[in-house]
Amino acid sequence: MRKAHAVAVLVLAGLVLSGCGSGEDKPQKSRDAQSGEDKGSPSKGPTDASAEGTMIDRAAGSWKTISKRQGDRYFQTVTIADGHVTMKGAVLDCSGTLKPDTVEGKEAPSLTLTCKGGSDGGRGEGNMHLGDKVTTDDAVAFDWEGPEGGWGGPVDSFRRTS
């Protein structure tokens, strides 16, 4: 009986010394005694530098269409630098400058296109929507108002290439 008791004590001592953890490999959070705030465990957010700044800042780079549609009325590439946008397609060649704006309380910079040859493919004015910071801003869409009196314009969607 003494042997069983000694084994039980050793097992209990091992559990106590090991911390009786939950078996998960997550770092334990500590709380600041005065403020009650968590500290010591960094949040797991995007590590990409593009996750900093305004949506206009985060959208900087080159983008390629996700649409399989080709033709005179479609854009194939978008380049955004310092808020200046250049959109190009087989025929369309347009540019504009993003301006801070909101749609339904969310950041959605506005854009008015000026196109060579005068045609903007039925777009006119619109708003840019960017994948959120959690998705590392890898998708951008332009939601166009379309011609006056119409039901709205096209939506152009792109994936980041650089």
Side-chain angles (χ1 to χ4, degrees):
M1 184 80 163
R2 275 184 181 234
K3 207 175 207 180
H5 182 53
V7 170
V9 168
L10 284 173
V11 169
L12 281 173
L15 289 173
V16 169
L17 292 174
S18 70
C20 296
S22 64
E24 296 180 17
D25 291 335
K26 293 181 182 176
Q28 297 294 319
K29 290 184 180 180
S30 61
R31 289 195 168 272
D32 185 298
Q34 291 177 344
S35 69
E37 293 179 22
D38 286 339
K39 61 184 244 183
S41 179
S43 64
K44 288 192 177 185
T47 57
D48 190 44
S50 68
E52 301 298 323
T54 67
M55 186 178 289
I56 295 172
D57 296 333
R58 296 187 330 263
S62 298
W63 304 81
K64 184 176 179 181
T65 186
I66 62 170
S67 175
K68 294 182 185 203
R69 295 180 179 167
Q70 304 284 322
D72 297 2
R73 299 180 359 214
Y74 300 101
F75 290 116
Q76 300 305 311
T77 62
V78 173
T79 303
I80 303 172
D82 297 323
H84 182 76
V85 177
T86 303
M87 304 178 91
K88 295 188 182 224
V91 174
L92 294 174
D93 186 355
C94 305
S95 63
T97 302
L98 290 165
K99 296 184 180 2
D101 201 355
T102 58
V103 173
E104 296 178 5
K106 294 183 180 181
E107 186 180 13
S110 62
L111 176 66
T112 302
L113 291 179
T114 303
C115 302
K116 293 179 181 175
S119 174
D120 63 10
R123 287 163 178 85
E125 296 181 9
N127 293 88
M128 180 180 76
H129 304 277
L130 189 63
D132 60 26
K133 292 179 183 180
V134 173
T135 62
T136 62
D137 302 328
D138 66 344
V140 68
F142 294 89
D143 184 12
W144 303 103
E145 291 178 16
E148 259 186 69
W151 291 92
V155 174
D156 295 308
S157 302
F158 303 86
R159 288 275 180 213
R160 189 181 294 276
T161 60
S162 69

